[in-house]
Structure formats: C-alpha cells, structure tokens
Amino acid sequence: LESIPYVVLTWRAITQWLGELGTVVVAGIVLPFLHASLLKVYSIERGPKFASTIRRSIVGLFTIYLAYTLIGVFLFVVSGMSFIDALTHSMTAIATGGMSTKTESIGYWYFRGNSMILATTSIVMIIGALNFRDLKALSTGNLKSFAKSPEVRGFFAILLTIIATAAIASIILSSGHDIAALIYHIISGYTTTGFQVGDIKSYPTILKAILIISMAIGGATFSTAGGIKTRRAVIALKSILWDIERVVLPREYRVVKRIGEEVLDDEVVASTITYVIIYVLFQILLSTSLYLCLVASNIKGFDYVDAVFEVTSALSCVGLSVNITSSTLPILAKVILMIAMYLGRLEFLPLYLLVGYYYRKRVLL
C-alpha cells in the first residue's frame, strides 16, 4: 500500500465512508418505504424510523456520522498519525470498513512503539458499530437513554465476555501471544472493522474460534457493522430461555418475550431465528466450499477452522485474515469469498427477495 499514491488511498477511504453510510440509509430507511415485505424485514431488525421523513433521517444520520468522523481524526492525530493517515483511518474506522494506508494496517504504528493507537482506534471502531439511534441519544446528551438501551448493554456485555474468555484461554494455553493485540483483534472483529496488528494465523484454534464467534455476532443493528448483529444475537439467546420457560411453567402462565422495555411478538423472534439460521447455513456451506477448493488446489498450511475464519470474516464484512486471502488465490476461492461479502453486506436481502418472488409466483399461479 505504501507504493500507492495517497490520493488513491484517500479516494478509497471516501468510497468506503460513503458506501457504508449509504448501505445503512438504503437498507434501514429507503427500502422499507418501497415495499411492504421489506418493511417487515427491516422494521423488525432496525426498529422504528430514525426520523419522521426520509430527508430528515438522512440529514440526521449524516450529521452524526460526520461529527464522529471528525472526533476520530482528532483522536488519531493525538495518537501519532499524520493528518492524512488520521483522516483516512477515521473514515474507515467509523464506517467499520478497516481499509488502511499501510500494508501492516494499525500494526505499522503499534510495532513502532505506539501503544496508544490501539486505544484510540478501538474507541472509534466501537462508536462505528453502535446503533445510530443510540449514538443520537449520546450526541444529544441523553446519557440515561443511551445507558438504558438494551442493545448498548448487550453490545458491551457480549464484548467484555468474549474478551475475558479469550484472555483466560490465552493464559491457560500459555500461547505467548500479545494479549493487547488479541484483545484488539476481538474488538476489531466484533465491530467488524478489520484493523489488524499482526499475524492471526499463528493463534491456537481456540482463539481463532473465539474470533470467529466475535465476527459472526458483529455490531449493533442500524449501524455500519456487519454480522448477525447484537440485537439478533440477544433475541436468539433469550429465545432458548423463553422456550424452556414455556415448557416448564404451567399452561396458564404466559411467557412475556421482552428485550429491555420492548415486548417482542412471535413474528420478531421467528424472523431473528430465521436470519441466524440462514447466516450459519451459508457460513458452513461457503466454508466447506472454500476448504475443498484449497485442498483441490493443493494449497497447504490451512485447516478447516482457517477456512471458517476467512469466510466468516467475509460474510460479516470484517477483513481480518489468516492469510488465505491473497492475489494468488484460485479464482473459484475468490468467487466464494465475494459471494460471502455480497450476501453479508446486503444482509441476505437478495435471498429474501428471490425466495419471496418464488412464493409470490406460486400464490399467483
């Protein structure tokens, strides 16, 4: 990357910055106004409208997005980046995209003794992965609403749990890996940003598995992050408890399915479970396809967990890698990863539309 002119790298960061916000606007705001079936899908996963009109929603989103991007630029400059590096990295961090101007990514600064860069980039990555409605509350000083948000609580509870699990596993295994870098990769994976500070391929299988889980869950709904999303993950986990309650409690008792103060109906829970199942099915299908492709191409040094890691990173639009992805990768393997990125970024919308078209056609016939 160092050989590429900065104007190209800056342009790449701008396209990612605009593209990620554009995805949020189209998926969460515009599409629900265009088709009734899309309204069902996105009202369940995105919540109520951000503002009363599309125009106000877009202006509000852009204002928040720009403000936090500028805050990111300030933080990165303070932590030792040049202005142009700070600008490009802030744009790709707040967009949870993770494109860097250095081949070593954030490791370029970290391995030169700049430990502060891990903290500042983590802050911006986390902001980028939060729900825009929660960021709106935070921006307007409504800290009580921000702190009470079920998704904010779930986001940090899951993140801290994963970090603690990984740290304990690393200590027990005596892996000798940099704990700070490991925690950073978890934050980068969980927020689906993809900034990297060293080799992940050398991690033990258990640490790779923990990173896979963090990337699969992803950030909050109605954010630029990818993955299953925190709200869906919380609903899916709670649905297990709700089902156990339904079985063990007397019939006259009614199980109230609640997330925070929000009471969920069966349609919301069913939609969430469906999405999680679709994600896992494609994760297994594409991972198996990638692994078989590597074996058929006689590419050695990677096991099935590595294939799952790479596919999950693509499916959640993260960018962390165990070095499978490269310019020399067979074309079929590249196509598999492109399919994963495409479906994951659009949250399987093409699949919803395709299946919906099939059933609508059957009904009309």
Side-chain angles (χ1 to χ4, degrees):
L1 289 176
E2 287 80 359
S3 64
I4 299 176
Y6 261 99
V7 65
V8 176
L9 297 175
T10 303
W11 174 248
R12 187 177 69 154
I14 291 172
T15 58
Q16 188 165 71
W17 188 72
L18 292 174
E20 295 289 358
L21 181 63
T23 301
V24 173
V25 170
V26 171
I29 296 176
V30 178
L31 288 181
F33 283 91
L34 301 180
H35 199 282
S37 62
L38 297 178
L39 176 60
K40 290 180 181 179
V41 173
Y42 284 99
S43 64
I44 289 172
E45 309 301 351
R46 304 295 188 180
K49 292 187 293 184
F50 186 77
S52 58
T53 65
I54 292 179
R55 180 178 178 277
R56 288 182 178 179
S57 297
I58 293 174
V59 171
L61 282 172
F62 185 79
T63 301
I64 293 172
Y65 199 58
L66 178 61
Y68 283 110
T69 302
L70 295 176
I71 291 173
V73 173
F74 172 76
L75 289 175
F76 292 168
V77 168
V78 169
S79 60
M81 283 189 180
S82 67
F83 175 77
I84 192 66
D85 283 327
L87 177 63
T88 53
H89 282 83
S90 182
M91 284 192 289
T92 60
I94 205 70
T96 62
M99 287 185 178
S100 178
T101 57
K102 306 295 181 184
T103 303
E104 295 177 90
S105 188
I106 300 301
Y108 176 86
W109 290 271
Y110 179 61
F111 294 127
R112 286 163 176 77
N114 188 348
S115 299
M116 184 180 178
I117 201 72
L118 297 188
T120 52
T121 52
S122 294
I123 291 171
V124 182
M125 286 192 293
I126 289 172
I127 290 173
L130 292 176
N131 190 309
F132 271 102
R133 291 182 184 83
D134 294 327
L135 288 178
K136 182 179 180 181
L138 181 63
S139 304
T140 55
N142 192 350
L143 300 181
K144 184 177 180 180
S145 176
F146 177 80
K148 287 180 63 177
S149 168
E151 195 155 31
V152 170
R153 291 183 176 184
F155 179 93
F156 286 105
I158 292 173
L159 177 59
L160 293 175
T161 300
I162 293 174
I163 288 174
T165 304
I168 293 171
S170 182
I171 293 170
I172 292 175
L173 294 171
S174 300
S175 63
H177 288 88
D178 186 344
I179 295 293
L182 173 62
I183 293 174
Y184 185 80
H185 285 144
I186 290 173
I187 295 172
S188 181
Y190 185 58
T191 60
T192 72
T193 306
F195 284 149
Q196 196 160 329
V197 289
D199 181 36
I200 295 177
K201 188 181 185 306
S202 62
Y203 281 4
T205 299
I206 184 64
L207 295 185
K208 290 179 184 176
I210 292 172
L211 278 170
I212 288 170
I213 293 171
S214 67
M215 292 190 295
I217 296 174
T221 54
F222 199 43
S223 71
T224 59
I228 292 171
K229 304 292 180 65
T230 298
R231 184 169 185 263
R232 293 191 188 110
V234 171
I235 293 174
L237 290 173
K238 280 202 166 188
S239 67
I240 298 174
L241 300 177
W242 293 329
D243 197 54
I244 293 173
E245 285 184 62
R246 182 183 59 81
V247 172
V248 300
L249 290 177
R251 290 188 177 182
E252 58 269 21
Y253 284 86
R254 177 174 175 268
V255 177
V256 178
K257 300 173 182 178
R258 187 192 305 273
I259 296 292
E261 297 180 357
E262 179 186 3
V263 177
L264 308 176
D265 57 32
D266 291 336
E267 184 180 4
V268 173
V269 177
S271 174
T272 299
I273 299 300
T274 299
Y275 188 92
V276 173
I277 291 173
I278 290 173
Y279 184 98
V280 173
L281 286 176
F282 271 94
Q283 184 185 38
I284 295 172
L285 175 63
L286 294 173
S287 298
T288 303
S289 300
L290 178 62
Y291 180 68
L292 292 176
C293 182
L294 294 176
V295 172
S297 302
N298 199 31
I299 298 176
K300 299 179 180 180
F302 301 103
D303 56 21
Y304 186 72
V305 173
D306 292 326
V308 175
F309 187 101
E310 212 76 1
V311 165
T312 305
S313 182
L315 197 58
S316 292
C317 302
V318 182
L320 293 177
S321 177
V322 290
N323 303 330
I324 289 179
T325 303
S326 70
S327 59
T328 59
L329 198 64
I331 184 64
L332 179 58
K334 291 178 180 177
V335 169
I336 291 170
L337 292 174
M338 285 192 286
I339 291 172
M341 288 187 285
Y342 176 75
L343 290 175
R345 182 63 283 177
L346 295 182
E347 298 192 340
F348 303 103
L349 177 60
L351 182 65
Y352 276 96
L353 293 177
L354 182 63
V355 174
Y357 172 78
Y358 170 75
Y359 280 108
R360 284 174 62 86
K361 189 175 181 181
R362 285 188 60 182
V363 170
L364 291 175
L365 290 176

PDB file of all heavy atoms in Angstrom, residues 5 12 48 92 97 108 110 113 115 129 135-137 215-216 288 316:
ATOM      1  N   PRO A   5      -0.247   6.039  -4.453  1.00  0.00           N
ATOM      2  CA  PRO A   5      -0.375   7.463  -4.113  1.00  0.00           C
ATOM      3  C   PRO A   5      -1.475   7.694  -3.075  1.00  0.00           C
ATOM      4  O   PRO A   5      -2.509   7.017  -3.084  1.00  0.00           O
ATOM      5  CB  PRO A   5      -0.745   8.114  -5.447  1.00  0.00           C
ATOM      6  CG  PRO A   5      -0.236   7.175  -6.485  1.00  0.00           C
ATOM      7  CD  PRO A   5      -0.379   5.800  -5.901  1.00  0.00           C
ATOM      8  N   ARG A  12     -10.178   5.806  -1.859  1.00  0.00           N
ATOM      9  CA  ARG A  12     -10.680   4.501  -1.417  1.00  0.00           C
ATOM     10  C   ARG A  12     -11.369   4.632  -0.060  1.00  0.00           C
ATOM     11  O   ARG A  12     -12.436   4.040   0.168  1.00  0.00           O
ATOM     12  CB  ARG A  12      -9.516   3.505  -1.337  1.00  0.00           C
ATOM     13  CG  ARG A  12      -9.960   2.090  -1.058  1.00  0.00           C
ATOM     14  CD  ARG A  12      -8.790   1.129  -1.056  1.00  0.00           C
ATOM     15  NE  ARG A  12      -7.900   1.337   0.069  1.00  0.00           N
ATOM     16  CZ  ARG A  12      -7.133   0.379   0.579  1.00  0.00           C
ATOM     17  NH1 ARG A  12      -7.138  -0.822   0.038  1.00  0.00           N
ATOM     18  NH2 ARG A  12      -6.337   0.620   1.608  1.00  0.00           N
ATOM     19  N   PRO A  48     -37.949   1.303  14.984  1.00  0.00           N
ATOM     20  CA  PRO A  48     -38.770   2.371  14.424  1.00  0.00           C
ATOM     21  C   PRO A  48     -37.959   3.323  13.563  1.00  0.00           C
ATOM     22  O   PRO A  48     -36.740   3.297  13.567  1.00  0.00           O
ATOM     23  CB  PRO A  48     -39.309   3.084  15.672  1.00  0.00           C
ATOM     24  CG  PRO A  48     -38.292   2.801  16.726  1.00  0.00           C
ATOM     25  CD  PRO A  48     -37.796   1.419  16.438  1.00  0.00           C
ATOM     26  N   THR A  92     -12.536   5.063   7.651  1.00  0.00           N
ATOM     27  CA  THR A  92     -12.752   3.622   7.527  1.00  0.00           C
ATOM     28  C   THR A  92     -13.032   2.960   8.871  1.00  0.00           C
ATOM     29  O   THR A  92     -13.600   1.875   8.923  1.00  0.00           O
ATOM     30  CB  THR A  92     -11.541   2.945   6.856  1.00  0.00           C
ATOM     31  OG1 THR A  92     -10.355   3.168   7.633  1.00  0.00           O
ATOM     32  CG2 THR A  92     -11.319   3.479   5.455  1.00  0.00           C
ATOM     33  N   GLY A  97     -15.056  -0.336   8.219  1.00  0.00           N
ATOM     34  CA  GLY A  97     -14.563  -0.952   6.987  1.00  0.00           C
ATOM     35  C   GLY A  97     -13.138  -1.457   7.120  1.00  0.00           C
ATOM     36  O   GLY A  97     -12.794  -2.533   6.652  1.00  0.00           O
ATOM     37  N   TYR A 108       1.453  -1.050  11.777  1.00  0.00           N
ATOM     38  CA  TYR A 108       2.527  -0.143  11.349  1.00  0.00           C
ATOM     39  C   TYR A 108       2.923   0.806  12.480  1.00  0.00           C
ATOM     40  O   TYR A 108       4.107   1.081  12.698  1.00  0.00           O
ATOM     41  CB  TYR A 108       2.070   0.660  10.124  1.00  0.00           C
ATOM     42  CG  TYR A 108       3.060   1.701   9.655  1.00  0.00           C
ATOM     43  CD1 TYR A 108       4.079   1.383   8.778  1.00  0.00           C
ATOM     44  CD2 TYR A 108       2.976   3.018  10.110  1.00  0.00           C
ATOM     45  CE1 TYR A 108       4.992   2.339   8.352  1.00  0.00           C
ATOM     46  CE2 TYR A 108       3.878   3.983   9.700  1.00  0.00           C
ATOM     47  CZ  TYR A 108       4.882   3.632   8.817  1.00  0.00           C
ATOM     48  OH  TYR A 108       5.791   4.592   8.415  1.00  0.00           O
ATOM     49  N   TYR A 110       1.721   0.365  15.832  1.00  0.00           N
ATOM     50  CA  TYR A 110       1.847  -0.387  17.080  1.00  0.00           C
ATOM     51  C   TYR A 110       3.234  -1.001  17.228  1.00  0.00           C
ATOM     52  O   TYR A 110       3.833  -0.946  18.311  1.00  0.00           O
ATOM     53  CB  TYR A 110       0.780  -1.487  17.125  1.00  0.00           C
ATOM     54  CG  TYR A 110       0.825  -2.337  18.366  1.00  0.00           C
ATOM     55  CD1 TYR A 110       0.627  -1.769  19.629  1.00  0.00           C
ATOM     56  CD2 TYR A 110       1.051  -3.714  18.285  1.00  0.00           C
ATOM     57  CE1 TYR A 110       0.661  -2.550  20.775  1.00  0.00           C
ATOM     58  CE2 TYR A 110       1.094  -4.494  19.423  1.00  0.00           C
ATOM     59  CZ  TYR A 110       0.903  -3.911  20.673  1.00  0.00           C
ATOM     60  OH  TYR A 110       0.942  -4.687  21.802  1.00  0.00           O
ATOM     61  N   GLY A 113       6.185   1.087  18.560  1.00  0.00           N
ATOM     62  CA  GLY A 113       6.138   1.573  19.937  1.00  0.00           C
ATOM     63  C   GLY A 113       4.957   2.453  20.284  1.00  0.00           C
ATOM     64  O   GLY A 113       4.893   3.012  21.381  1.00  0.00           O
ATOM     65  N   SER A 115       1.621   2.319  21.426  1.00  0.00           N
ATOM     66  CA  SER A 115       0.549   1.503  22.001  1.00  0.00           C
ATOM     67  C   SER A 115      -0.761   2.261  22.101  1.00  0.00           C
ATOM     68  O   SER A 115      -1.838   1.657  22.117  1.00  0.00           O
ATOM     69  CB  SER A 115       0.966   1.002  23.392  1.00  0.00           C
ATOM     70  OG  SER A 115       2.124   0.201  23.312  1.00  0.00           O
ATOM     71  N   ALA A 129     -19.727   0.886  15.437  1.00  0.00           N
ATOM     72  CA  ALA A 129     -20.521  -0.338  15.491  1.00  0.00           C
ATOM     73  C   ALA A 129     -21.788  -0.199  16.324  1.00  0.00           C
ATOM     74  O   ALA A 129     -22.543  -1.159  16.456  1.00  0.00           O
ATOM     75  CB  ALA A 129     -19.670  -1.473  16.054  1.00  0.00           C
ATOM     76  N   LEU A 135     -26.442   6.385  19.207  1.00  0.00           N
ATOM     77  CA  LEU A 135     -25.471   7.461  19.007  1.00  0.00           C
ATOM     78  C   LEU A 135     -26.162   8.821  19.025  1.00  0.00           C
ATOM     79  O   LEU A 135     -25.597   9.814  19.496  1.00  0.00           O
ATOM     80  CB  LEU A 135     -24.734   7.269  17.677  1.00  0.00           C
ATOM     81  CG  LEU A 135     -23.720   6.123  17.612  1.00  0.00           C
ATOM     82  CD1 LEU A 135     -23.108   6.046  16.216  1.00  0.00           C
ATOM     83  CD2 LEU A 135     -22.625   6.292  18.664  1.00  0.00           C
ATOM     84  N   LYS A 136     -27.391   8.867  18.535  1.00  0.00           N
ATOM     85  CA  LYS A 136     -28.165  10.113  18.570  1.00  0.00           C
ATOM     86  C   LYS A 136     -28.428  10.520  20.018  1.00  0.00           C
ATOM     87  O   LYS A 136     -28.298  11.697  20.378  1.00  0.00           O
ATOM     88  CB  LYS A 136     -29.485   9.928  17.823  1.00  0.00           C
ATOM     89  CG  LYS A 136     -30.344  11.174  17.746  1.00  0.00           C
ATOM     90  CD  LYS A 136     -31.633  10.905  16.970  1.00  0.00           C
ATOM     91  CE  LYS A 136     -32.506  12.151  16.890  1.00  0.00           C
ATOM     92  NZ  LYS A 136     -33.779  11.873  16.155  1.00  0.00           N
ATOM     93  N   ALA A 137     -28.790   9.539  20.850  1.00  0.00           N
ATOM     94  CA  ALA A 137     -29.015   9.824  22.271  1.00  0.00           C
ATOM     95  C   ALA A 137     -27.728  10.287  22.938  1.00  0.00           C
ATOM     96  O   ALA A 137     -27.723  11.231  23.729  1.00  0.00           O
ATOM     97  CB  ALA A 137     -29.554   8.573  22.970  1.00  0.00           C
ATOM     98  N   MET A 215     -16.723 -12.195  15.254  1.00  0.00           N
ATOM     99  CA  MET A 215     -17.013 -11.660  13.913  1.00  0.00           C
ATOM    100  C   MET A 215     -18.426 -12.030  13.477  1.00  0.00           C
ATOM    101  O   MET A 215     -19.108 -11.238  12.818  1.00  0.00           O
ATOM    102  CB  MET A 215     -15.999 -12.187  12.899  1.00  0.00           C
ATOM    103  CG  MET A 215     -14.597 -11.669  13.087  1.00  0.00           C
ATOM    104  SD  MET A 215     -13.486 -12.087  11.699  1.00  0.00           S
ATOM    105  CE  MET A 215     -13.434 -13.880  11.824  1.00  0.00           C
ATOM    106  N   ALA A 216     -18.882 -13.235  13.823  1.00  0.00           N
ATOM    107  CA  ALA A 216     -20.214 -13.679  13.421  1.00  0.00           C
ATOM    108  C   ALA A 216     -21.300 -12.845  14.099  1.00  0.00           C
ATOM    109  O   ALA A 216     -22.291 -12.476  13.467  1.00  0.00           O
ATOM    110  CB  ALA A 216     -20.398 -15.152  13.759  1.00  0.00           C
ATOM    111  N   THR A 288     -17.033 -24.788   3.825  1.00  0.00           N
ATOM    112  CA  THR A 288     -16.735 -26.110   3.274  1.00  0.00           C
ATOM    113  C   THR A 288     -16.279 -25.997   1.827  1.00  0.00           C
ATOM    114  O   THR A 288     -15.313 -26.656   1.412  1.00  0.00           O
ATOM    115  CB  THR A 288     -17.969 -27.021   3.370  1.00  0.00           C
ATOM    116  OG1 THR A 288     -18.393 -27.100   4.735  1.00  0.00           O
ATOM    117  CG2 THR A 288     -17.646 -28.421   2.862  1.00  0.00           C
ATOM    118  N   SER A 316     -19.252 -11.402   7.374  1.00  0.00           N
ATOM    119  CA  SER A 316     -19.570 -10.284   8.268  1.00  0.00           C
ATOM    120  C   SER A 316     -18.900  -8.992   7.823  1.00  0.00           C
ATOM    121  O   SER A 316     -18.971  -7.981   8.531  1.00  0.00           O
ATOM    122  CB  SER A 316     -19.131 -10.624   9.705  1.00  0.00           C
ATOM    123  OG  SER A 316     -19.925 -11.655  10.245  1.00  0.00           O
TER     124      SER A 316
END
